[in-house]
Amino acid sequence: MADRLDGTVALVTGASSGIGEATALALAASGASVALAARRVDRLDELAAKIRAEGGRALVIRADVTDEAQARGAVERTVAELGRLDTLVNNAGQMLLGPAVGAPLSEWQRMVDINVLGLLYCSHAALPHLLAAAESAPRRVADMVNISSVAGRVARSGSAVYNATKHGVGAFSEGLRQEVTGRHVRVSLVEPGGTRTELSSHNRPEVQETIRQRFADIDMLHATDIAEAILYIVTRPRYVAVNEILIRPTEQAN
Ligand SMILES: NC(=O)c1ccc[n+]([C@@H]2O[C@H](COP(=O)([O-])OP(=O)(O)OC[C@H]3O[C@@H](n4cnc5c(N)ncnc54)[C@H](OP(=O)(O)O)[C@@H]3O)[C@@H](O)[C@H]2O)c1
């Protein structure tokens, strides 16, 4: 049986599009107050209006989570304005693919900054609040959901640095899970396969073409498919921890 999330507060990073946006909507529909963090605040304002129109509570936070102070600020504003933090969805990320040989170093730096450091900054700031929420009503359990990727399981030519960042997310999540699970903070890893979002649009044109060809014959996942998996994780009763979900389009072999 799924629990509802009434009386709880969630922070979703990268809520301005794709998986983060769908997740924020799903969490709000299940009763959580939702803090929405990203850089494109116009998109967050639209999403907040939609959540409020459906009777939910939303807080818009402009934050570049690659900046430690802004990441910490997003967590602190969530707690200051919504009262607590029960659920952190570390979703903000970038995927910049292409051969490693001759790649622009700035792309590697951007991925490490957002996929690894951004996630770590948010996690560091959130942990004391998650631990506190796990000791209190209404649920006496708290969740950190880290969005990795199939790329966090399987490395591929043309994806080496994205693979490195997402494998890093997996390692951090498992180490942290073991550390805090006894205190009822559940750390979960979600590993999506090809999902129709804006993610690939930040690549150079020739790389976008390679990605397009790879997925041309595949019926890709929708952001809502991943949001449903996240909702499943965070609505389990207190004694159930879903550690990991790997979810691919059926036609995606690897
Ligand atoms: N789509 C897929 O096929 C797929 C597969 C596996 C894993 N994933 C993972 O799923 C997550 C979400 O991606 P998506 O597919 O939903 O792509 P998306 O639509 O491009 O969403 C990425 C989100 O991250 C935010 N973001 C990027 N840099 C940020 C920063 N410095 N500070 C704050 N927010 C930042 C973006 O918001 P702003 O630009 O407004 O800041 C946006 O909301 C990523 O971690 C990605 O690696 C996606």
Side-chain angles (χ1 to χ4, degrees):
M1 267 287 280
D3 287 354
R4 279 195 50 93
L5 301 176
D6 302 289
T8 72
V9 174
L11 167 61
V12 181
T13 69
S16 58
S17 60
I19 292 168
E21 178 181 5
T23 301
L25 281 167
L27 295 173
S30 190
S33 298
V34 187
L36 314 167
R39 297 165 302 178
R40 288 172 296 173
V41 80
D42 53 329
R43 301 275 291 257
L44 297 180
D45 282 335
E46 277 175 37
L47 176 60
K50 195 168 171 187
I51 289 171
R52 290 176 193 134
E54 289 168 11
R57 189 173 180 210
L59 170 68
V60 168
I61 302 176
R62 184 202 300 267
D64 177 342
V65 298
T66 66
D67 179 306
E68 195 270 336
Q70 292 185 45
R72 186 166 303 280
V75 170
E76 297 305 337
R77 257 195 80 191
T78 301
V79 175
E81 297 191 30
L82 298 178
R84 54 191 288 138
L85 181 62
D86 302 82
T87 306
L88 170 65
V89 182
N90 271 320
N91 163 76
Q94 287 220 359
M95 176 191 73
L96 302 169
L97 304 183
V101 176
L105 195 56
S106 60
E107 292 190 351
W108 295 6
Q109 289 162 334
R110 274 162 63 194
M111 283 192 288
V112 171
D113 279 350
I114 181 67
N115 298 356
V116 182
L117 283 174
L119 181 143
L120 293 180
Y121 295 151
C122 293
S123 301
H124 188 270
L127 274 165
H129 301 293
L130 295 175
L131 286 162
E135 288 180 356
S136 59
R139 299 196 71 220
R140 294 189 306 119
V141 67
D143 287 285
M144 179 190 295
V145 182
N146 293 334
I147 309 305
S148 175
S149 170
V150 168
R153 286 268 192 117
V154 189
R156 294 169 58 92
S157 174
S159 178
V161 178
Y162 186 60
N163 290 138
T165 63
K166 292 300 191 181
H167 276 70
V169 171
F172 170 67
S173 302
E174 176 57 15
L176 180 63
R177 184 192 70 75
Q178 293 176 23
E179 183 179 328
V180 296
T181 196
R183 298 169 73 182
H184 289 96
V185 175
R186 303 180 294 203
V187 180
S188 306
L189 192 65
V190 174
E191 298 161 309
T195 308
R196 202 169 292 288
T197 67
E198 298 174 14
L199 192 69
S200 62
S201 68
H202 306 289
N203 285 277
R204 287 167 277 135
E206 66 275 21
V207 177
Q208 283 192 43
E209 180 54 24
T210 306
I211 298 169
R212 196 194 62 73
Q213 284 173 17
R214 180 176 174 220
F215 286 100
D217 297 326
I218 290 179
D219 196 1
M220 290 173 76
L221 300 173
H222 299 261
T224 48
D225 295 315
I226 307 304
E228 282 174 20
I230 295 167
L231 191 67
Y232 177 81
I233 289 171
V234 303
T235 54
R236 289 313 87 200
R238 183 172 185 258
Y239 69 95
V240 180
V242 180
N243 300 152
E244 199 165 350
I245 294 186
L246 173 63
I247 173 169
R248 288 185 175 93
T250 304
E251 292 158 322
Q252 182 179 338
N254 49 37

